[in-house]
Amino acid sequence: MLIFRQAIRYRRILLLIVIMALVTSLATSTALWALYTSTFNNKKDDLTAIVTMKANLINAVARFDAIHASASFPEDPFAATLSQVIDANQRYHGFSQTGEFILARLETEQIY
């Protein structure tokens, strides 16, 4: 009878250990998922802000070039803006190893 009681006691202890391991695993997984989601969203917001800022800067240069056509590009302010964007990206040495830059313009409902 004593062996039977000890077996029941060990089963209870084992069951409690398994329950605690499951609860701990669930809590840890939930916390890690929340941290991952938060970090991912923060990084997405940062990258979106950088792209928006760069687009606004290019638009400002394009507006300036359209108003004050440079002597090098008197017939095409877009070419002047494009040359400045190319020059700026060529001066950043790490960019060619890590990514690409795509620039397009909208003309009569067509993106070129």
Side-chain angles (χ1 to χ4, degrees):
M1 195 67 154
L2 182 64
I3 295 175
F4 182 70
R5 287 184 184 169
Q6 285 180 344
I8 291 175
R9 186 180 309 164
Y10 287 133
R11 284 185 184 169
R12 284 183 184 168
I13 291 173
L14 183 62
L15 181 62
L16 289 174
I17 290 172
V18 168
I19 290 171
M20 287 301 294
L22 289 174
V23 168
T24 304
S25 297
L26 181 63
T28 302
S29 298
T30 303
L32 287 175
W33 179 255
L35 287 172
Y36 169 78
T37 303
S38 174
T39 303
F40 182 83
N41 288 334
N42 286 341
K43 183 57 91 171
K44 181 179 74 167
D45 292 343
D46 290 345
L47 292 173
T48 301
I50 289 169
V51 167
T52 302
M53 197 167 52
K54 195 164 190 174
N56 288 338
L57 181 62
I58 292 171
N59 285 333
V61 170
R63 283 191 304 273
F64 181 85
D65 287 340
I67 295 170
H68 304 79
S70 123
S72 303
F73 301 95
E75 70 284 343
D76 191 8
F78 178 75
T81 302
L82 188 59
S83 72
Q84 292 173 7
V85 171
I86 289 171
D87 181 55
N89 284 312
Q90 284 177 343
R91 291 178 188 268
Y92 180 59
H93 298 292
F95 188 75
S96 63
Q97 298 169 354
T98 60
E100 65 181 38
F101 184 77
I102 298 173
L103 182 66
R105 68 177 173 175
L106 180 66
E107 284 184 10
T108 62
E109 299 184 20
Q110 290 289 328
I111 297 177
Y112 295 100

